[in-house]
Amino acid sequence: MATLYPVQDTFVRGEVSPRLHARASLDLYRAALSTCLNFVTLPHGGIRKRGGTYFAAEVKTSAKKTRMIPFIFSADQAYALEFGDLYIRVYAYGARVGTVEVVSPYIEADLFDIQYVQSADQMWIMHKDYPLKVLTRTAHMAWTLDEYPFEDGPYDDINDTSTTLTPADYGSLTPKMTGLTTPSGTVDSTGSNSNAWKLFDKDGGSEVSFAVQDGFISYRLAGGVQAIVDAYFVTSSGKYAGSDAPSSWKLEGSNDGAAWSTIDSQQGENGWAGTETRYFEFFNKTPYEYHRFRWLGNNGGDNTRIAEIGLNRAAASQTPFNLTASSTAGINDGAGFQTSDVGRNVRLLGSDGHWRWAEIKARTSATVVTIVIHGLPLPDLSPISRWRLGTLINGKYLESGSLYEERLAFSRKFSVYASATGDFNNFAVGEKDDDAMAFLQAGGGQANDITWIADSDGALLIGTSGGVRALSGSGIDEALTPSSFKNRRSRTAGCSRIRPIDAGQSFLYVTRSRRTIAELSQVNTGRFSSDDIGQISEHIPKKGVVELAFQTDPDPLLWFPLDNGELGGYTHQPSQDVRGMHRHDIAGAYSGSAWGIVESACVTPGQTGNDDLWLIVKRTISGVTKRYIEVLQAPFEYDAIDDAFAVDCGLTYSGATVGTVSGLSHLNGQTVDVLADGKVFKGLTVGSGQVTLPGGATAAKWQVGLPFNSEADTLELDVGGKDGSIVGRRKKVARVIMSLLETDTTGLSVQSFMRGRWENVRLPSIVAPDGKATLFTGNVEVPIDDTWEGQGRVRIRHTNPTPCTIRAFTPAFDAEP
């Protein structure tokens, strides 16, 4: 049979599963490899040696697992956060940000269960066992982590037991007044009305009449005390409300009774009904000793009549007071109040039909807690039968979050909670379009836990252990509101709790087993489907995916650490049908593993326009476990050989010409490779943090780090059979022709599968006289020592700390007829 020359000019399918090594009839077969290690499949078709990893720092505590999380304000202000046992450190563009370190509550065992969502300079951090935290950047060197203050929600269902809650106080600025100065404070008014105190007697059935159309009523706290007022209500009289009720007014504060500041004002308050109550809330943080309600006009009457004014004493100014339950039924499954309820919200429906919310400040017993009231004061102290406790308690805190249509959304167990539009603190459920919302049993007909939520085109995606659902407005391009929503099930795989990735052209998530990665596609409005992107390379994610990180530049790449410590890669450009997986063994070793263990990965925008892939790599260095933060460098492309960076855990020296460099104590005792002014030096040892070039050599530009090889194994090609497939028939490869781009051929060699001898690429003219590596672009032919048992398969290896790109591969082989 004549010699065959089948060209393989694309490798976009990457390393395929051993289960497919005989499926030569598949279209993908001729674009695939049996091994693709430390090579990246390019969207253009070729494979390119990955860049090395740059050493940024050792984690704070190398003995403990650590995680990297991105914090991206913009493409120009991006950070990588080191989440360790009870701390957070901050990095930017390959280096730590000063000495910034934030104390955190998260222990080592919980780090990889953390989920997060970010908006501008705030990041909300969620974990089912921790109250919601918010990490805030106020300046490059100023970071804080605080508990996030929920306002009025989210809540459990309304109490349906006979248990009542009785408050011991009103949460009001004034006590229940019985006179102008009793029981405390002083009431004053226009005309020194002797009945003015009745406006604060907590009785909406009494009223005070003023024979003027404009005037005032004031209250001064006793003993020079100051307090903050941020809400109030006004109740009209039972008679003449339509004409005698105030129509415009100012609420004012003062600390001397002479100089007054307006803290709220209202106009156009017309059309009052008898004993109608209107409620007003506003922003105010300033405390005052005096507060004055000054009305500027009424609704046309000769007199002004008001039944009640309730001024709320802001929670920050209140003394906590008792809230007493009539029994423990309905409270924590009948167990009553617990110490873990401290900080929990409770919503109370007052006798006026208006909901208030309170915060539990302390627990006295199973039936008694102390609270402060937020918003409006209670109208009376009667027992409250309609109440609901906050849903967030120890062990049942929020688990994931997302931003969607100007709402901050969170999930827990089967529920999704979305804030009011544009008000991320407010989770008080309502009926207005911009009110907060709560969706229960979002997991669908099956009781599947929600594992994550994420914003996507036209829907809030809800990942559950049973599949993906889509929550959106009820119509096409209709906003999600309390009265307009649909929650659709999609035919998708169950989801793990690993944070999904928006990959631009599609959405990628890890399935429930953590052994496959699925691509979510929108089939029509509000409906999605998913496919296993790694099915042809199932052996790679089957090792167990740890987390996902997506890199847009210089190439669209999904990166995913695996349970065995390898780093999985996936070139993802579906519009060009580019879908290829590859594996990466980061140099080093740990406890019997022949590579450094990649434990975490995240991506941030880099300074050069390329994205930075941050890694945490665990190795054994000088007998001690070390965890290092490293940044994968952009692969070599159209540059000078001196700038190539193809070593791991490496550093760069640039400066005066020297023969020894220091600062390498993180690699003490390790064997390293050096690219020095474009010359390759292999097998040098780091001692006392230094490495010296042999033979008195010197250089001004050094790249120093742990060496790694890039390897590619071809599949058995099926071409030229006159009577059918030649898969399985004996073949013998005589030589191979490779099309190379910017490749240091001195580190490139090939080998037959059946012979152990590596054949080096020999191009004598390619090495410069000064020993500096030269990059070759073009075709090169390499003879191979093969046998008839080789099946026409070849191994390719590149071992130098220099660039290598293979555009195409052509074996010349003979096959038995």
Side-chain angles (χ1 to χ4, degrees), residues 546 561-562 565-567 586 596-601 615-618:
V546 175
L562 298 164
E566 286 187 297
L567 178 64
I586 304 301
I597 304 298
V598 178
E599 292 187 325
S600 182
L615 304 172
I616 292 183
V617 185
K618 179 174 65 172

Side-chain angles (χ1 to χ4, degrees), residues 250-265 282 284 286-288 290-294:
K250 291 183 178 180
L251 185 64
E252 301 171 317
S254 173
N255 284 319
D256 60 7
W260 295 88
S261 299
T262 300
I263 56 178
D264 186 57
S265 63
F282 56 92
N284 175 46
T286 305
Y288 294 102
Y290 298 79
H291 290 85
R292 182 169 75 178
F293 181 85
R294 183 162 64 92

Side-chain angles (χ1 to χ4, degrees), residues 67 105-114 127 129-130:
R67 183 182 178 189
Y106 309 108
I107 62 174
E108 176 189 11
D110 295 331
L111 296 176
F112 282 82
D113 292 322
I114 287 172
H127 189 287
D129 294 329
Y130 298 83

